Amino acid sequence: TDEIMQQEIRPLVAVDIIEQLHRQFAILSGGRGKDGAPIITFPEFAGFSDIPDEDFLNVVTYLTSIPSLEAASIGFIIIIDRRRDKWSAVKASLTRIAGAFPGNLQLVFVLRPSRFIQRTIADIGIKLYRDDFKMKVPIIMLNSVSDLHGYIDKSQLTRELGGTLEYGHSQWIHHRTAIENFAMTVKTTAQMLQTFGTDLAETELPNDVQCTEELLSAHTDHHSKLKDELKLAVKQGATLLTCIREPVTRSANSKLSPDELENVATVERLLAQLDETEKAFDQFWTKHHLKLEQCLQLRHFEHDFREVKLALDSLMEGQAGFTDIGDSVTRVEHLLREQKQLEEKGQEPLEKAQSLALHGEQLIQNNHYAVDSIRPKCVELRRICDDFTNETKKKYDILGKSLELHKQLDKASQWCEAGIYLLASQAVDKCQSQEGAETALVEIEKFLVTAKEHQLSNPKEFYNQFDMILTPEIKANAQRILQKLEDVQEMFDKRQVSLKKLAAKQTRPVQPVAPHPESSPKRASPKITRPAGVVCLSVHAGVQSLSNAREGRGQDGVTGSIQRCVFFPSYHIINELIETERVYVEELQSIIEGYASEMDNPNLVHLIPSALQNKKEILFGNLPEIYEFHNRQIFLKEIENCIENPELLARCFLKRKEDLQIYEKYCQNKPRSEALWRQCGDSIFFQECQRKLDHKLSLDAYLLKPVQRITKYQLLLKEMLKCSKNSEGTAELEEALATMLDIIKSVNDSMHQIAITGYEGDVSELGKLLMQGSFNVWTDHKKGHNKVKDLARFKPMQRHLFLYTKMLLFCKKREENTDGHEKTASYSFKNSLKMSTVGITENVKGDNKKFEIWYNGREEVYIIQASSVELKNTWISEIRKVLTGQLEACR
């Protein structure tokens, strides 16, 4: 039953019963009763009783399904023509119609047999058997067609019934078959369009140009075929409509029967449905085709973007490697030519990038659906172009200044040589006379005037204007020449003093005496200092550099505020932070991809020293973790968002306070990493990696970048704070700076902690390291011989103290040279005190820098002397916090 219910119920169509229809035992001529009731005629048919019940039912069912519902609801009029037949045929016809007619009946007309006997029998039979026919409608027995004309107009009856209605059965079957065929065509076409539309809607857009082109071509071909099908269907409907209307077209007096008019309406309705379906499909196809074309445009744009981006990245990489500013006029001129070549080389990719960005913006203006994908790429292209242009301008400016500097230095050097030559060429004996001295003075004065032509009237001012581009080598050379200028100037000054004395009028003859040869005063070359604002933080330089960085000291440990020559607005500081952060991220990526990943490359494994095998984690530490934190998706992205809102910068550092602790782990591993590098750094493997990366510096220089980076953060935050004093966000900046200083302190402390030796326990179980530092320590024990021994110790012990939340460690600091490298500190464990059992005396008579820590009811007393009162108070404050916390925990 379920299967039957699920089957599609298809109504009868003419083609299904074409043979039965051609037998013409029942026809729907198109005539109507006075009230519009459809007329079904049963013409004389010799073998009517022999027609199978199924055939009879199918034909009658089909004929009753053709009129409109409105006409069918009035009820059908049946005309049974049995004029040439017998009563038995009339009876059989009525019985069959009564038992199988599927429609609503209104009247039944019977043209009874014309022969007298049969007519008589029919009259008697209809009276006797009327109830047997089970018809609830009148059965009217007619003697002739003229009687029928009294009920139905002649115009609604065929010629066989004495009417004027034109009816051709073959033509009627042809029209019905054509109409139903056209209806099926419309339905099939609509289903095809719907199926194709569904397929289009569910189609996933490809990710490459070729697949998109193939999909667009396939869909366009399919669309063209469906449009051809639509054209054929419309042509078929139009032809059918013409055929149905043909009688009216042929003769103005002809009229279509109601059924023919309904056929016309049916075909017109089907054509209208076809037109609506086509319009809806065309509208959908237009949108889909536009999306496919836009998808193809997008894939072409993305393909071109990748190619242009690759060329631009190569160009920017070449520009980034162009860092040399030259150390001579010849070298700078050569660099300028190279810069010009790089600029010319970049014109083509830059023009392509600008053109592609313009094309992308046109796509956006044309309402492309992938605006969110196109716009960032356009912005990226223009940014890179602007970066290259700006960087090129900067490099031209720097090289121009470098060229000017070296030209002036060359001129200055030549001027010095000429001056020395002039002084050496003035004969001593000729200068003893007044005239000779005056001549020599004139020569010197003329020569000194030329100093202005070489901008040498104020050499230090000239030197300072180029301070931004000076490398240590150029600076040393410039200072050497400036020193030479001062020496030569001093020589001229002394010579002028001597000559002026000689040129003065003499009251007595002057005896010519050859003076001692003048010698230039020997001076120590001025010390080349590091540019203000730069703190180089290296692990193997020891923990002091970290401490210096926290306190604002340089590598030499001299305390002083970090200054810059120019105070930029906060925007420029953030811009510097972002630019250096991008470079930092790229450097980290190059280290990981160019060195760390290559250690797993089977093609290079034979170049890796055996001492380096399986020690990648020691050499690089947690550098991958640092890179993942800084990459474009996390920290870099967050600080880039601050470019428009500088006040948000401090929140970035406060938010990432815990994440930045990863540097502590990196610094703790750094001594092991450096030891491994000293052992294997000169291997061919590292040389090959450096060559592929085209790095100017070796790996160990890049491994120092993370250590230097955390110092850079605190320097930039200091500058931000200077620019933002007494403004909104100052408090957050101060907190962010304090956070960075705490991180540096934590890193600094951890560097000391890992150098502890001889402690048998696990340092990680002692709690958080709060403070560490060196002190003078005296001990006082109440136990007999120990007390005597300690009292004899007038000279204090040098001890390095480590204050943890659970323990205080006393260690002895030792410094050793390692393979000819810098001294490394280690701390030999001597003693420890549990913080749960100690007490403190904050002031000791006679010295405000001393305090006491005693143990077990003053059985053991440690007198500790700090280097300053401030340091002492800081330690007492931290110890008091630990003891107070323990007391509260006990309570």
Side-chain angles (χ1 to χ4, degrees):
T1 303
D2 291 340
E3 282 185 321
I4 294 172
M5 293 299 294
Q6 290 173 8
Q7 290 176 358
E8 181 181 0
I9 301 174
R10 186 175 66 86
L12 282 170
V13 292
V15 71
D16 294 335
I17 55 173
I18 193 72
E19 293 181 5
Q20 292 87 332
L21 289 174
H22 274 296
R23 296 177 71 180
Q24 202 173 342
F25 60 83
I27 63 172
L28 184 69
S29 62
R32 297 292 173 94
K34 293 178 181 180
D35 57 356
I39 298 173
I40 295 178
T41 303
F42 289 85
E44 291 181 329
F45 189 82
F48 186 81
S49 60
D50 298 327
I51 297 172
D53 291 341
E54 182 180 358
D55 293 350
F56 176 83
L57 181 61
N58 285 341
V59 170
V60 174
T61 300
Y62 175 74
L63 294 178
T64 56
S65 68
I66 293 174
S68 65
L69 291 175
E70 181 182 358
S73 63
I74 298 172
F76 288 87
I77 295 174
I78 293 178
I79 299 175
I80 304 173
D81 187 1
R82 292 295 181 264
R83 287 173 292 173
R84 299 178 184 177
D85 217 327
K86 300 177 181 179
W87 159 247
S88 60
V90 174
K91 181 181 178 182
S93 298
L94 288 173
T95 302
R96 172 166 276 185
I97 292 170
F101 191 83
N104 182 25
L105 280 173
Q106 187 187 99
L107 285 173
V108 177
F109 294 101
V110 179
L111 287 171
R112 52 188 165 185
S114 58
R115 287 177 292 176
F116 178 78
I117 298 175
Q118 293 299 325
R119 179 181 299 178
T120 303
I121 295 173
D123 289 340
I124 297 170
I126 197 66
K127 292 178 182 179
L128 294 175
Y129 297 103
R130 182 183 296 274
D131 294 335
D132 294 342
F133 298 141
K134 298 180 181 179
M135 288 188 181
K136 296 180 181 180
V137 298
I139 300 174
I140 301 173
M141 303 294 290
L142 302 174
N143 294 324
S144 64
V145 292
S146 58
D147 294 341
L148 179 62
H149 296 162
Y151 294 94
I152 300 173
D153 192 83
K154 288 183 178 182
S155 63
Q156 302 301 315
L157 296 172
T158 61
R159 293 183 182 276
E160 288 77 6
L161 297 176
T164 61
L165 181 65
E166 294 290 338
Y167 175 78
H169 192 62
S170 297
Q171 186 183 47
W172 181 88
I173 292 176
H174 174 71
H175 284 176
R176 290 308 307 168
T177 305
I179 291 171
E180 291 167 357
N181 185 40
F182 178 58
M184 184 57 66
T185 300
V186 171
K187 180 180 179 182
T188 303
T189 303
Q191 288 176 342
M192 290 168 59
L193 293 178
Q194 184 178 8
T195 302
F196 183 52
T198 303
D199 292 340
L200 296 185
E202 295 176 353
T203 299
E204 292 185 2
L205 298 179
N207 292 322
D208 60 85
V209 173
Q210 182 179 351
C211 291
T212 306
E213 288 177 339
E214 291 174 354
L215 182 65
L216 180 59
S217 176
H219 283 190
T220 303
D221 290 344
H222 198 169
H223 170 260
S224 298
K225 292 177 181 178
L226 287 176
K227 289 291 287 185
D228 291 340
E229 295 286 342
L230 275 168
K231 289 179 182 178
L232 287 174
V234 171
K235 186 176 181 181
Q236 178 185 349
T239 303
L240 177 58
L241 201 58
T242 302
C243 291
I244 296 174
R245 287 174 173 168
E246 194 268 338
V248 179
T249 306
R250 186 175 67 248
S251 173
N253 296 325
S254 297
K255 291 185 179 180
L256 297 179
S257 68
D259 282 358
E260 288 174 328
L261 290 174
E262 285 188 1
N263 288 343
V264 169
T266 300
V267 174
E268 288 178 340
R269 186 178 68 254
L270 290 172
L271 284 170
Q273 289 178 2
L274 205 57
D275 183 63
E276 290 176 1
T277 303
E278 183 177 14
K279 287 180 179 178
F281 175 74
D282 285 344
Q283 186 178 7
F284 176 80
W285 167 253
T286 300
K287 293 180 180 179
H288 178 75
H289 188 258
L290 176 61
K291 190 163 187 178
L292 279 180
E293 286 184 332
Q294 288 186 341
C295 178
L296 184 58
Q297 292 171 346
L298 177 63
R299 300 306 174 228
H300 277 297
F301 178 82
E302 290 173 339
H303 178 266
D304 295 341
F305 174 81
R306 286 191 291 270
E307 289 187 345
V308 171
K309 181 69 164 53
L310 194 63
L312 289 177
D313 288 345
S314 175
L315 193 64
M316 293 298 291
E317 186 178 352
Q319 189 184 59
F322 200 90
T323 57
D324 191 2
I325 64 171
D327 54 3
S328 66
V329 172
T330 304
R331 177 61 180 165
V332 175
E333 289 175 341
H334 175 73
L335 291 173
L336 279 168
R337 288 193 296 272
E338 286 187 344
Q339 180 63 43
K340 185 65 177 177
Q341 291 173 357
L342 181 63
E343 186 181 19
E344 292 172 352
K345 177 185 175 184
Q347 287 307 307
E348 183 179 353
L350 287 175
E351 289 174 0
K352 286 184 178 179
Q354 294 286 3
S355 176
L356 186 59
L358 181 61
H359 176 56
E361 288 167 356
Q362 290 174 346
L363 292 178
I364 293 173
Q365 291 176 0
N366 293 335
N367 298 319
H368 197 286
Y369 71 89
V371 172
D372 293 339
S373 175
I374 297 172
R375 181 174 285 118
K377 292 180 174 62
C378 294
V379 173
E380 178 71 359
L381 289 173
R382 294 203 183 279
R383 182 191 68 77
I384 296 176
C385 290
D386 291 342
D387 288 350
F388 181 83
T389 303
N390 294 336
E391 194 63 25
T392 299
K393 185 178 181 300
K394 285 182 185 178
K395 291 190 183 297
Y396 273 128
D397 291 343
I398 292 174
L399 289 174
K401 288 185 178 181
S402 179
L403 182 63
E404 182 183 356
L405 171 64
H406 287 298
K407 284 182 176 179
Q408 294 298 332
L409 290 176
D410 285 355
K411 288 181 180 179
S413 182
Q414 292 169 7
W415 186 85
C416 289
E417 297 298 328
I420 294 171
Y421 179 80
L422 174 62
L423 293 175
S425 64
Q426 291 180 338
V428 175
D429 55 341
K430 291 182 180 181
C431 295
Q432 298 306 308
S433 65
Q434 181 178 352
E435 183 181 355
E438 289 176 347
T439 302
L441 276 172
V442 171
E443 290 177 346
I444 290 173
E445 287 171 356
K446 286 183 178 180
F447 183 80
L448 290 177
V449 171
T450 63
K452 296 180 181 178
E453 300 173 6
H454 302 306
Q455 298 181 2
L456 302 177
S457 57
N458 192 340
K460 288 188 177 179
E461 181 180 344
F462 163 78
Y463 167 80
N464 288 336
Q465 69 176 316
F466 296 102
D467 185 63
M468 296 292 289
I469 68 167
L470 295 180
T471 64
E473 295 78 9
I474 297 176
K475 184 177 288 188
N477 183 47
Q479 289 182 332
R480 178 181 61 78
I481 293 175
L482 289 177
Q483 183 62 54
K484 189 174 182 180
L485 279 171
E486 290 183 9
D487 292 345
V488 172
Q489 187 66 51
E490 187 175 352
M491 291 168 65
F492 274 116
D493 291 342
K494 288 187 177 182
R495 179 65 63 86
Q496 282 179 311
V497 171
S498 299
L499 290 174
K500 285 178 181 179
K501 288 180 180 179
L502 292 172
K505 291 183 178 181
Q506 303 294 327
T507 58
R508 58 184 176 81
V510 179
Q511 296 294 330
V513 178
H516 292 290
E518 292 181 318
S519 60
S520 300
K522 295 183 179 179
R523 299 189 180 190
S525 298
K527 183 177 181 182
I528 301 175
T529 58
R530 182 175 291 104
V534 177
V535 177
C536 295
L537 190 60
S538 65
V539 176
H540 60 257
V543 294
Q544 186 60 38
S545 58
L546 279 166
S547 178
N548 293 342
R550 172 177 171 78
E551 297 172 13
R553 298 201 292 264
Q555 191 70 9
D556 52 4
V558 179
T559 305
S561 60
I562 306 296
Q563 300 290 336
R564 292 178 67 92
C565 297
V566 180
F567 290 97
F568 294 105
S570 58
Y571 172 81
H572 295 287
I573 299 172
I574 289 182
N575 193 49
E576 179 184 355
L577 173 61
I578 292 173
E579 291 302 320
T580 55
E581 184 73 12
R582 288 172 178 162
V583 173
Y584 179 50
V585 170
E586 291 172 0
E587 287 176 340
L588 293 178
Q589 184 179 7
S590 69
I591 296 169
I592 293 170
E593 294 178 355
Y595 285 101
S597 297
E598 289 296 277
M599 291 183 69
D600 300 324
N601 187 346
N603 297 326
L604 298 178
V605 69
H606 65 284
L607 300 179
I608 301 177
S610 57
L612 192 61
Q613 296 286 346
N614 301 320
K615 292 183 181 178
K616 182 168 68 174
E617 289 74 15
I618 294 177
L619 183 61
F620 296 98
N622 63 330
L623 196 67
E625 182 184 6
I626 294 175
Y627 169 68
E628 287 302 321
F629 167 67
H630 282 275
N631 70 12
R632 298 185 185 277
Q633 301 301 320
I634 306 178
F635 195 58
L636 175 56
K637 185 176 181 180
E638 289 179 356
I639 62 176
E640 282 178 336
N641 293 335
C642 299
I643 190 69
E644 300 296 336
N645 301 291
E647 67 276 4
L648 300 179
L649 180 63
R651 299 179 190 175
C652 289
F653 285 92
L654 293 174
K655 175 184 176 182
R656 297 296 178 181
K657 178 179 179 180
E658 298 299 326
D659 295 321
L660 287 166
Q661 297 293 335
I662 55 178
Y663 281 96
E664 181 176 337
K665 181 179 179 181
Y666 184 82
C667 291
Q668 287 178 348
N669 179 70
K670 200 67 181 67
R672 300 172 65 204
S673 173
E674 289 187 334
L676 186 60
W677 173 259
R678 287 194 295 270
Q679 186 179 0
C680 308
D682 57 352
S683 71
I684 299 176
F685 170 75
F686 291 117
Q687 295 174 10
E688 178 66 15
C689 292
Q690 183 177 349
R691 183 190 64 79
K692 288 182 179 179
L693 293 170
D694 195 24
H695 279 179
K696 305 299 181 185
L697 304 175
S698 57
L699 174 61
D700 59 328
Y702 288 98
L703 291 177
L704 280 174
K705 297 289 184 179
V707 187
Q708 296 167 345
R709 190 62 186 163
I710 54 175
T711 303
K712 181 70 173 179
Y713 291 145
Q714 65 101 2
L715 293 177
L716 290 172
L717 287 171
K718 277 186 178 180
E719 292 188 38
M720 280 285 291
L721 195 56
K722 290 178 182 177
C723 297
S724 309
K725 277 293 184 184
N726 302 322
S727 62
E728 185 180 354
T730 300
E732 285 188 331
L733 275 173
E734 291 176 344
E735 187 179 355
L737 177 59
T739 296
M740 286 310 303
L741 292 174
D742 286 342
I743 290 172
I744 293 176
K745 176 184 178 298
S746 178
V747 171
N748 182 30
D749 290 345
S750 68
M751 293 297 295
H752 288 275
Q753 176 181 273
I754 62 174
I756 296 175
T757 62
Y759 181 70
E760 295 182 356
D762 188 351
V763 176
S764 63
E765 296 178 356
L766 302 182
K768 182 181 180 181
L769 177 59
L770 304 175
M771 302 283 288
Q772 56 81 27
S774 294
F775 298 88
N776 294 328
V777 179
W778 292 265
T779 59
D780 184 6
H781 296 273
K782 290 184 178 180
K783 295 180 181 178
H785 66 280
N786 283 337
K787 183 176 181 181
V788 175
K789 180 180 177 181
D790 290 330
L791 286 175
R793 188 189 293 273
F794 296 103
K795 185 178 180 181
M797 297 179 291
Q798 300 298 316
R799 290 291 181 261
H800 201 90
L801 273 59
F802 293 87
L803 175 62
Y804 295 89
T805 53
K806 296 181 180 180
M807 191 83 76
L808 177 65
L809 299 187
F810 291 80
C811 299
K812 185 173 183 179
K813 183 177 181 180
R814 304 179 188 276
E815 291 185 350
E816 300 176 355
N817 289 334
T818 306
D819 299 333
H821 292 267
E822 299 178 6
K823 290 183 178 181
T824 58
S826 64
Y827 303 94
S828 177
F829 171 74
K830 293 298 182 182
N831 192 18
S832 63
L833 299 176
K834 290 183 178 180
M835 292 305 295
S836 60
T837 59
V838 302
I840 61 170
T841 304
E842 297 184 7
N843 296 304
V844 176
K845 291 182 180 180
D847 194 339
N848 60 359
K849 293 186 290 185
K850 288 182 180 179
F851 63 98
E852 290 182 345
I853 295 180
W854 40 268
Y855 182 69
N856 199 15
R858 297 187 66 85
E859 184 176 306
E860 295 181 20
V861 179
Y862 295 85
I863 304 169
I864 300 172
Q865 184 184 49
S867 58
S868 66
V869 176
E870 292 77 11
L871 182 61
K872 165 196 165 183
N873 291 336
T874 302
W875 273 74
I876 288 175
S877 175
E878 287 296 327
I879 293 173
R880 190 186 298 118
K881 287 179 184 178
V882 174
L883 299 181
T884 303
Q886 291 176 349
L887 181 60
E888 290 177 353
C890 290
R891 288 175 179 172

